[in-house]
Amino acid sequence: RKEVEQDPGPFNVPEGATVAFNCTYSNSASQSFFWYRQDCRKEPKLLMSVYSSGNEDGRFTAQLNRASQYISLLIRDSKLSDSATYLCVVTFTGGGNKLTFGTGTQLKVEL
Amino acid sequence: DVKVTQSSRYLVKRTGEKVFLECVQDMDHENMFWYRQDPGLGLRLIYFSYDVKMKEKGDIPEGYSVSREKKERFSLILESASTNQTSMYLCASSLVAGDGYTFGSGTRLTVV
């Protein structure tokens, strides 16, 4: 079983739609959680950290469910510019500073 | 903003060549990492370093080595390039444990 699993998609949604991605992780000793965004042929960039209490940044909301070992990302009022691959990222206790990446979920926002 | 610079955006090398990929960060970060990214496999950790002259193997170190002689520079070395090392190579750095990374723009290496 992969340490971090994501549905690869693609998720094709119309502009203005609300879309949600889930990500599951296998190690219950996971410590830190992030969502990264990666545009085609570009490097990943940190979108937001995910805290136990959840957090919101504009149209983006991230949630953590430790009991079920998943994190989620909700995007409201999707824009064409949101089209990208979204990477779920986790650090594990005993894993030092290393981040473990999911393979990503592709989002395509269409007119 | 932290800047992580990778020396080449695109490289084409021949099988058996020794290849050096350079990465420099300008914000005095302790931690530096090398990943490769392949379709369907995501990012996989090759090597990382928490300090000068310190290195640790990641998940796929075979066929690679690294050098960290200065804090700001972390080099990835392909001792004898092979076609299965054709990939996108990404360098990253972070300040503290558990922090998010800043990535370089990547080096797309093709081994022919």
Side-chain angles (χ1 to χ4, degrees):
Chain A
R1 185 183 171 189
K2 289 181 181 177
E3 290 181 292
V4 180
E5 292 205 63
Q6 296 182 252
D7 181 343
F11 284 57
N12 298 311
V13 303
E15 204 173 14
T18 295
V19 61
F21 311 133
N22 279 343
C23 162
T24 58
Y25 57 93
S26 60
N27 189 332
S28 60
S30 298
Q31 292 179 295
S32 303
F33 308 87
F34 308 91
W35 283 102
Y36 275 70
R37 171 195 169 126
Q38 187 173 25
D39 294 298
C40 188
R41 295 189 170 273
K42 296 287 183 72
E43 73 274 21
K45 291 185 178 178
L46 180 63
L47 178 66
M48 59 198 307
S49 301
V50 187
Y51 306 120
S52 296
S53 56
N55 52 308
E56 187 173 316
D57 183 4
R59 298 182 292 108
F60 298 82
T61 300
Q63 298 280 355
L64 168 63
N65 185 319
R66 285 192 182 272
S68 301
Q69 294 182 203
Y70 76 84
I71 67 174
S72 63
L73 178 68
L74 180 79
I75 305 174
R76 290 180 298 278
D77 188 22
S78 299
K79 311 290 184 193
L80 294 175
S81 58
D82 293 334
S83 298
T85 296
Y86 291 84
L87 303 171
C88 171
V89 185
V90 179
T91 66
F92 301 105
T93 302
N97 300 329
K98 297 179 293 180
L99 301 185
T100 299
F101 288 78
T103 53
T105 297
Q106 188 179 10
L107 171 66
K108 295 181 180 179
V109 181
E110 302 163 332
L111 285 171
Chain B
D1 279 352
V2 176
K3 192 169 182 183
V4 179
T5 304
Q6 293 185 232
S7 53
S8 303
R9 194 65 195 271
Y10 299 95
L11 273 180
V12 180
K13 296 292 182 180
R14 295 194 178 278
T15 301
E17 276 193 77
K18 191 169 186 176
V19 181
F20 292 86
L21 302 183
E22 305 289 344
C23 175
V24 177
Q25 50 93 5
D26 66 359
M27 283 298 289
D28 205 33
H29 281 182
E30 302 287 341
N31 312 301
M32 296 188 75
F33 308 84
W34 274 105
Y35 285 83
R36 63 179 282 178
Q37 186 174 29
D38 301 286
L41 297 176
L43 279 88
R44 293 180 291 167
L45 182 63
I46 305 171
Y47 267 96
F48 59 103
S49 170
Y50 295 150
D51 203 351
V52 176
K53 296 193 185 294
M54 175 273 173
K55 61 184 178 184
E56 287 199 32
K57 293 179 179 179
D59 301 317
I60 52 163
E62 297 78 20
Y64 303 95
S65 62
V66 289
S67 172
R68 193 153 181 214
E69 296 295 319
K70 293 184 178 181
K71 192 174 187 179
E72 67 271 18
R73 185 180 297 271
F74 191 36
S75 304
L76 179 70
I77 304 154
L78 285 65
E79 297 291 343
S80 177
S82 63
T83 54
N84 63 13
Q85 292 179 310
T86 292
S87 187
M88 168 69 91
Y89 289 87
L90 289 157
C91 175
S93 73
S94 71
L95 181 60
V96 296
D99 232 11
Y101 293 173
T102 298
F103 281 90
S105 54
T107 296
R108 190 167 291 277
L109 173 67
T110 302
V111 183
V112 298

